[in-house]
Amino acid sequence: MSTRSAAPQAVSAWPDLSHLRPSDLPQERRVVGPVPGPASQALAERRARSVAAGVASTLPVYVARAGGGVIVDVDGNSFVDLASGIAVTSVGNAAPGVVDAVAAQAADFTHTCFMVAPYEEYVAVCEALARLTPGDHAKRTVLVNSGAEAVENAVKVARRATGRDAVVVLDHAYHGRTNLTMAMTAKAMPYKTGFGPFAGEVYRVPASYPLREPVPITGEQAAARAVAVLEKQVGADQVACVVVEPVLGEGGFVVPAPGFLPALERWCREHGVLLVADEVQTGFARTGAMFACDHEGVVPDLVAMAKGIAGGLPLGAVTGRAELMDAVHLGGLGGTFGGNPLACAAALAAVEAYERDDLAAAARRIEELVTSRLRDVATRARQVGEVRGRGAMLAIELVRPGTLEPDPAEAARVARACAQEGVLVLTCGTYGNVVRLLPPLVIGEDLLRDGLDVLERALLGLPVPV
Ligand SMILES: *Cc1c(COP(=O)(O)O)cnc(C)c1O
């Protein structure tokens, strides 16, 4: 028997999360024919005659099953899932615990409307969110159906609680597709073009985007720049809330310079302005902490959540300081489907997985593997401008070699090449030039390595052996 001292950079073992994957679904990449195959092509024809043309899809195939780290299409192709339905199925698709909880709840009752006849599951989700969200102050929660609705409700609460109108958002922000959240979203095409007029009293200030600063600045300096704009153009005493994504999502998986969020938090406190964290994409272990604000000890007044909250069922939430949330008059918050019992049962099962299986640690393990791999590829793929992200929210920004000029065509080419070889990756970014990775946190190590092999070859423009 030999003993060895642990290497200083020793990486933790890959966690065994097989109990969160459907046991009868092989965790493998498999391309059995053309992508899309004949069954998917037939569905595409039906779709063209019935589905609104404005609805886009990344993959050209139609799904038959999904679970763990794979999506299987109607022709039998099995894709490595590096998207999680946009950071939703972090606990895995059709995770057994979620499936059982939803089935049991569906057999008991499917809907009563919490505003009509309340039920325990809604209350239990609010209790869980009080425990999980940053800060140990007294909290209250309202449940809704989507991320956009969560952001809208956070703004409603902020305006009612402060008596002020102005909402401050960041450049590159994405907050949703409803009228108010379109106004809050930065990018015109495809989210806003032709859909105005937009809601008023929304003001945009510069974000922290380290790669694209003309001169490197600290997070504190970036915050001071944002504050200078809003003090001059809005006035601190007019501002109800500053809404931030702690890692910019659709805007390009941009991690702000350290100190940016804490400095904004301090400024908000000093001026009676509420800090709203839009953790719709970053929440629920995705970034390697339960919430991305936790990385810098930032405690928002209100947190908007959705995506990863319920294992794939539609649910959104706003959790905030009790005195702010309770400033809203009786009946001022709600909605027919908000906190649907099936979604609540799913959320309780998902929360159990996040906590029991420490999926934040799984996200950090994914970060180690993916970033070391992509940083290595970046030394050979000259179009890689930056590898960045947090936890299992990772991205590569693609540029024309030797410049910072965005190359959206290259991002689209890489995503298409991956899809052809059985790997699903998404793109994002204000300039459309970012390839982003959002694997389910329960993905197996071998499958993830295989997916990264395909991505590497796509970046290097090499053929992929099937
Ligand atoms: C996806 C997203 C939203 C909108 O959520 P929907 O459920 O699509 O309405 C809002 N904010 C952020 C940061 C998001 O990533």
Side-chain angles (χ1 to χ4, degrees):
M1 197 177 86
S2 70
T3 54
R4 278 187 297 158
S5 58
Q9 296 279 300
V11 291
S12 44
W14 201 267
D16 177 16
L17 298 170
S18 50
H19 58 286
L20 293 173
R21 306 195 280 257
S23 56
D24 61 340
L25 192 60
Q27 296 293 303
E28 63 182 15
R29 180 171 64 91
R30 187 177 68 232
V31 180
V32 298
V35 174
S40 279
Q41 285 176 32
L43 282 164
E45 281 165 28
R46 279 173 56 195
R47 172 194 182 134
R49 291 192 295 271
S50 57
V51 178
V55 183
S57 299
T58 302
L59 268 188
V61 305
Y62 286 74
V63 179
R65 279 199 73 184
V70 298
I71 295 175
V72 179
D73 77 8
V74 288
D75 292 289
N77 299 301
S78 179
F79 293 83
V80 182
D81 179 9
L82 301 184
S84 303
I86 319 186
V88 168
T89 52
S90 301
V91 297
N93 216 312
V98 170
V99 171
D100 292 348
V102 170
Q105 181 57 47
D108 285 345
F109 62 98
T110 52
H111 174 83
T112 56
C113 185
F114 194 75
M115 298 187 304
V116 174
Y119 38 90
E120 178 183 356
E121 290 77 8
Y122 188 117
V123 179
V125 171
C126 298
E127 289 169 346
L129 295 180
R131 188 174 74 245
L132 296 176
T133 50
D136 50 16
H137 48 277
K139 297 171 190 166
R140 303 281 189 267
T141 293
V142 59
L143 300 182
V144 294
N145 301 293
S146 69
E149 217 188 330
V151 173
E152 290 239 2
N153 277 277
V155 171
K156 279 169 66 171
V157 170
R159 285 176 166 161
R160 190 75 166 103
T162 61
R164 301 170 177 180
D165 293 337
V167 174
V168 171
V169 294
L170 297 178
D171 200 4
H172 308 286
Y174 181 85
H175 295 295
R177 295 171 179 270
T178 58
N179 187 265
L180 174 60
T181 58
M182 277 194 290
M184 296 170 68
T185 290
K187 191 174 174 176
M189 197 61 174
Y191 305 123
K192 305 170 70 164
T193 302
F195 298 145
F198 302 111
E201 288 307 307
V202 175
Y203 300 91
R204 195 170 309 285
V205 299
S208 167
Y209 194 153
L211 177 70
R212 296 192 171 276
E213 295 294 351
V215 179
I217 58 173
T218 65
E220 287 80 4
Q221 289 169 324
R225 177 178 62 189
V227 162
V229 171
L230 85 82
E231 284 185 337
K232 197 148 274 125
Q233 298 185 8
V234 194
D237 60 355
Q238 304 299 305
V239 180
C241 57
V242 174
V243 184
V244 297
E245 292 163 86
V247 177
L248 289 167
E250 305 301 302
F253 281 23
V254 180
V255 184
F260 177 72
L261 296 172
L264 280 184
E265 180 189 25
R266 277 193 305 278
W267 182 88
C268 285
R269 296 265 180 283
E270 280 163 22
H271 293 85
V273 172
L274 304 186
L275 180 67
V276 178
D278 179 348
E279 292 250 15
V280 168
Q281 190 158 169
T282 49
F284 296 98
R286 175 54 55 185
T287 67
M290 192 56 81
F291 289 93
C293 282
D294 294 332
H295 290 289
E296 289 190 276
V298 168
V299 179
D301 299 295
L302 302 167
V303 185
M305 295 160 273
K307 292 196 166 96
I309 192 172
L313 273 84
L315 186 67
V318 183
T319 298
R321 294 183 188 279
E323 66 277 16
L324 303 174
M325 296 293 291
D326 288 346
V328 177
H329 49 276
L330 186 64
L333 302 176
T336 306
F337 287 117
N340 168 271
L342 303 184
C344 287
L348 294 171
V351 163
E352 190 185 323
Y354 286 122
E355 292 192 290
R356 182 198 55 208
D357 294 304
D358 194 0
L359 294 185
R364 296 194 294 272
R365 188 70 191 78
I366 289 169
E367 177 178 2
E368 280 175 6
L369 174 67
V370 175
T371 51
S372 66
R373 184 64 190 276
L374 292 180
R375 296 224 156 98
D376 172 61
V377 178
T379 62
R380 281 167 290 138
R382 294 190 54 243
Q383 77 276 40
V384 176
E386 186 174 49
V387 175
R388 62 170 178 253
R390 239 176 187 155
M393 183 172 183
L394 299 163
I396 25 187
E397 175 155 358
L398 301 178
V399 295
R400 297 202 189 283
T403 75
L404 280 180
E405 200 187 320
D407 193 346
E410 175 63 4
R413 183 196 68 77
V414 169
R416 248 189 339 265
C418 287
Q420 286 299 313
E421 302 303 338
V423 176
L424 171 57
V425 300
L426 302 175
T427 60
C428 66
T430 295
Y431 314 105
N433 64 326
V434 177
V435 174
R436 58 171 154 172
L437 307 180
L438 291 164
L441 306 180
V442 303
I443 193 168
E445 180 175 9
D446 292 345
L447 191 68
L448 180 56
R449 285 185 189 280
D450 181 48
L452 293 172
D453 286 345
V454 171
L455 176 59
E456 170 174 346
R457 298 183 73 88
L459 284 164
L460 295 173
L462 300 171
V464 182
V466 179

